[in-house]
């Protein structure tokens, strides 16, 4: 065994001597040297290209993982109450050392640019100032920073992320002041949208959630419950003409029990479905008329009772807002028509009770008597 190993080593030594001798006897021309140098240059360029490519792939990968937390990630220039970006838990403990460097980039400023401050103050001049929970927070002695997307932020930080109380000015006119948690609106705050609408109230995971008030530029005001950027729960909505709705909402629309008061004095109390009057309810007109019954798509539809101020009364069926089907109409002097209706008029067979107490059966067409029936049984209620 030992001899075999020694023999192998001797052979290897001889091969090395022969190889060295061949190299020494090889003559390399100047052209060969230039060729070798060009090969080395190409190899260096390739290595540089590969390094740059790996770097770009890393940046792209970080962007896809949403670690590059630029401001537009959470608050783009088109931020709206309907922003559906999901909540991402981006606490520093979950970010690697390399990734952490990209959390926020900014530079310090001495003051907020005047054109941003003046624009916000002009919108807020009809509203009271926003108050934080603590006195030291209301003093607001915090450093001002300009973020890498141009936005201006003044407030508290935690692990290079906006956390605590702070104000932010967007270049397109949007403005937020209130509480933050890991770069998102969280807790109480006030948001001025690009169109000038103002929301003040509670936020959760960057969305309006909880109790809050919306002031619209067209004069509308909503004060009530919110969830995921939509009116959800009980609230009161007021229009500039004096109309008021008080009741329940679901996904931004009136749903459930509610009361709507129009500027002319009309009032509806009852059920709503997806923003429309639908279900059971009572409508009172400003002139004293009253309808109590079923509704569909903002119109009387189904069974109901309609009363006039002069004591006329209709009990029966409606369809698309007009009397349709079987119904009974009563006059103040005691007369009664009981029969079929079409397009708000007596149409078909019916029974008529006169003020003299005599009851007759007849046939009507578009509200006019065609003929009386003889030797016929009285029409029966359906």
């Amino acid at each position: 065994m030992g001899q075999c190993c020694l023999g192998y080593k001797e052979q290897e030594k001889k091969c090395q001597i022969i190889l060295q001798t061949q190299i020494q006897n090889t003559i390399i021309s100047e052209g060969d040297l230039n060729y070798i140098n060009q090969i080395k240059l190409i190899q260096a360029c390739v290595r540089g290209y590969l390094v740059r490519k790996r770097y770009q792939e890393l940046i792209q990968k970080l962007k896809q993982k949403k670690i590059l937390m630029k401001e537009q990630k959470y608050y783009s220039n088109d931020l709206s109450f309907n922003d559906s970006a999901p909540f991402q838990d981006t606490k520093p403990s979950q970010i690697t050392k390399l990734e952490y460097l990209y959390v926020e980039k900014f530079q310090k400023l001495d003051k907020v640019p005047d054109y941003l401050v003046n624009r916000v103050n002009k919108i807020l001049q009809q509203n009271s100032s926003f108050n934080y929970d603590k006195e030291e927070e209301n003093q607001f002695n915090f450093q001002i920073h300009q973020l890498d997307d141009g936005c201006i932020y003044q407030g508290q930080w935690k692990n290079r992320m906006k956390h605590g109380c702070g104000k932010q000015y967007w270049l397109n006119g949007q403005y937020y002041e209130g509480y933050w948690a890991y770069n998102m609106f969280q807790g109480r705050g006030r948001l001025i949208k690009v169109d000038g609408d103002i929301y003040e109230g509670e936020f959760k995971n960057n969305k309006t959630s909880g109790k809050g008030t919306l002031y619209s530029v067209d004069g509308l005001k909503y004060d009530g419950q919110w969830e995921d950027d939509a009116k959800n729960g009980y609230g009161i909505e007021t229009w500039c003409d004096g109309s008021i709705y008080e009741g329940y909402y679901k996904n931004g629309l009136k749903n459930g029990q509610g009361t709507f008061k129009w500027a002319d004095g009309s009032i509806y109390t009852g059920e709503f479905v997806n923003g429309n009057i639908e279900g059971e309810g009572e409508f009172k007109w400003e002139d004293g008329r009253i309808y109590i019954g079923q509704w569909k798509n903002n119109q009387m539809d189904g069974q109901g009772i309609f009363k006039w101020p002069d004591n006329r009364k209709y009990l029966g069926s409606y369809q698309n807002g007009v009397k349709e089907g079987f119904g009974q109409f009563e006059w103040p002097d005691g007369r009664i028509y009981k029969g079929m209706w079409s397009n708000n008029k007596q149409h078909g067979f019916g029974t008529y009770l006169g003020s003299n107490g005599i009851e007759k059966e007849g046939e009507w067409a578009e509200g006019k008597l065609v003929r009386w029936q003889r030797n016929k049984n009285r029409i029966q209620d359906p």
Side-chain angles (χ1 to χ4, degrees):
M1 184 71 178
Q3 293 177 355
C4 291
C5 293
L6 291 174
Y8 174 77
K9 291 182 178 179
E10 288 295 330
Q11 293 177 1
E12 183 180 6
K13 185 175 181 181
K14 290 179 181 180
C15 290
Q16 291 176 353
I17 293 173
I18 293 173
L19 180 61
Q20 292 175 0
T21 302
Q22 292 176 345
I23 293 174
Q24 292 173 359
N25 293 333
T26 301
I27 299 176
I28 302 176
S29 66
E30 184 177 354
D32 293 334
L33 289 175
N34 291 335
Y35 175 75
I36 292 173
N37 290 333
Q38 291 176 358
I39 293 297
K40 290 181 180 179
L41 179 61
I42 293 173
Q43 291 175 341
C45 293
V46 171
R47 286 194 297 271
Y49 167 76
L50 293 176
V51 170
R52 291 192 298 272
K53 183 177 181 181
R54 285 196 296 270
Y55 176 76
Q56 294 296 330
E57 290 176 349
L58 175 60
I59 295 298
Q60 186 65 27
K61 185 176 180 180
L62 294 178
K63 287 182 177 180
Q64 291 175 353
K65 292 170 63 178
K66 297 185 179 180
I67 300 301
L68 294 176
M69 299 174 59
K70 294 182 179 180
E71 278 306 302
Q72 60 265 31
K73 175 184 174 184
Y74 295 114
Y75 317 117
S76 69
N77 290 339
D78 296 324
L79 178 67
S80 67
F81 289 133
N82 297 318
D83 186 8
S84 59
F87 171 64
Q88 299 284 339
D89 188 359
T90 54
K91 295 183 179 180
S93 61
Q94 298 176 324
I95 304 177
T96 66
K97 185 176 181 180
L98 177 60
E99 295 166 343
Y100 182 74
L101 298 177
Y102 295 95
V103 169
E104 198 67 85
K105 295 180 181 179
F106 50 78
Q107 60 179 347
K108 295 182 179 180
L109 298 179
D110 294 331
K111 67 174 185 176
V112 179
D114 291 337
Y115 73 92
L116 292 177
V117 175
N118 295 337
R119 183 164 53 192
V120 170
N121 289 339
K122 184 176 181 180
I123 297 176
L124 291 177
Q125 62 186 357
Q126 302 297 330
N127 296 273
S128 59
S129 60
F130 182 85
N131 292 317
Y132 294 90
D133 294 338
K134 300 178 181 178
E135 183 61 31
E136 57 268 25
E137 293 175 341
N138 286 315
Q139 294 176 3
F140 221 80
N141 297 319
F142 302 114
Q143 179 63 51
I144 302 171
H145 298 89
Q146 184 171 24
L147 309 180
D148 59 348
D149 64 353
C151 297
I152 307 297
Y153 174 76
Q154 181 184 12
Q156 295 176 317
W157 297 82
K158 181 178 181 181
N159 297 324
R160 294 177 65 85
M161 286 186 282
K162 289 167 280 190
H163 192 92
C165 60
K167 302 176 182 179
Q168 179 156 316
Y169 301 80
W170 281 262
L171 299 182
N172 65 351
Q174 186 168 275
Y175 170 77
Y176 174 79
E177 58 181 341
Y179 289 95
W180 301 72
Y182 302 105
N183 277 348
M184 293 195 294
F185 309 153
Q186 185 80 9
R188 290 193 309 108
R190 175 157 57 186
L191 176 67
I192 300 178
K193 297 181 64 181
V194 177
D195 58 7
D197 288 352
I198 302 174
Y199 170 84
E200 183 171 350
E202 297 175 332
F203 290 85
K204 183 179 181 181
N205 299 340
N206 219 30
K207 296 181 180 180
T208 55
S209 291
K211 184 75 167 57
T213 303
L214 172 66
Y215 303 91
S216 174
V217 292
D218 57 9
L220 181 145
K221 175 185 175 182
Y222 171 81
D223 183 23
Q225 295 293 322
W226 296 78
E227 184 178 354
D228 292 334
D229 280 341
K231 303 164 190 170
N232 271 287
Y234 189 82
I236 300 174
E237 197 166 8
T238 306
W239 285 260
C240 57
D241 66 353
S243 300
I244 299 175
Y245 170 79
E246 183 173 353
Y248 289 90
Y249 289 81
K250 183 178 181 181
N251 297 327
L253 299 174
K254 304 174 187 67
N255 269 283
Q257 290 290 324
T259 299
F260 200 113
K261 299 179 181 178
W262 280 262
D264 63 3
S266 301
I267 300 175
Y268 170 80
T269 301
E271 296 178 296
F272 289 82
V273 176
N274 295 330
N276 294 321
I277 297 175
E278 192 158 322
E280 298 282 345
E282 176 182 282
F283 197 107
K284 295 181 179 180
W285 280 263
E286 77 284 359
D287 59 6
R289 292 174 296 155
I290 300 175
Y291 172 79
I292 304 172
Q294 297 174 324
W295 296 80
K296 185 177 181 181
N297 195 27
N298 297 321
Q299 293 183 321
M300 299 174 288
D301 199 289
Q303 297 297 311
I305 302 174
F306 200 109
K307 299 178 180 180
W308 284 261
D310 60 3
N311 292 325
R312 286 177 296 161
K313 183 169 64 175
Y314 172 82
L315 304 85
S317 177
Y318 281 87
Q319 186 175 345
N320 296 326
V322 298
K323 305 177 187 70
E324 193 79 25
F326 187 86
Q328 177 176 312
F329 194 96
E330 301 177 2
W331 284 266
D333 59 6
R335 289 177 296 149
I336 298 175
Y337 168 82
K338 186 187 299 184
M340 302 305 296
W341 296 76
S342 178
N343 195 27
N344 261 349
K345 297 178 181 179
Q346 301 99 319
H347 191 84
F349 293 99
T351 300
Y352 176 80
L353 176 64
S355 56
N356 56 7
I358 299 175
E359 186 176 84
K360 296 181 180 180
E361 295 181 2
E363 183 179 356
W364 280 259
E366 297 184 354
K368 296 182 180 180
L369 177 65
V370 176
R371 58 181 176 271
W372 295 110
Q373 298 293 313
R374 295 184 179 181
N375 301 322
K376 297 289 185 180
N377 294 328
R378 292 178 55 189
I379 190 169
Q380 299 296 318
D381 295 346

